[in-house]
Amino acid sequence: MAIVKQLVAAHGGTVTARSVLGQGSTFTVRLPTTS
């Protein structure tokens, strides 16, 4: 996870995590778009 966070941050994005006991975890990676 630390490597992913560094890679995403280097591209100007963010990583969030959400965990629900007994259901698992969801990881969201958001990267900026270019036009």
Side-chain angles (χ1 to χ4, degrees), residues 3 8-13 15 17-19 21 23 26 29-31 33 35:
I3 294 171
V8 171
H11 287 84
V15 178
R18 179 174 179 242
S19 183
L21 187 62
Q23 292 185 3
T26 301
V29 174
R30 293 182 183 261
L31 296 171
T33 57
S35 45

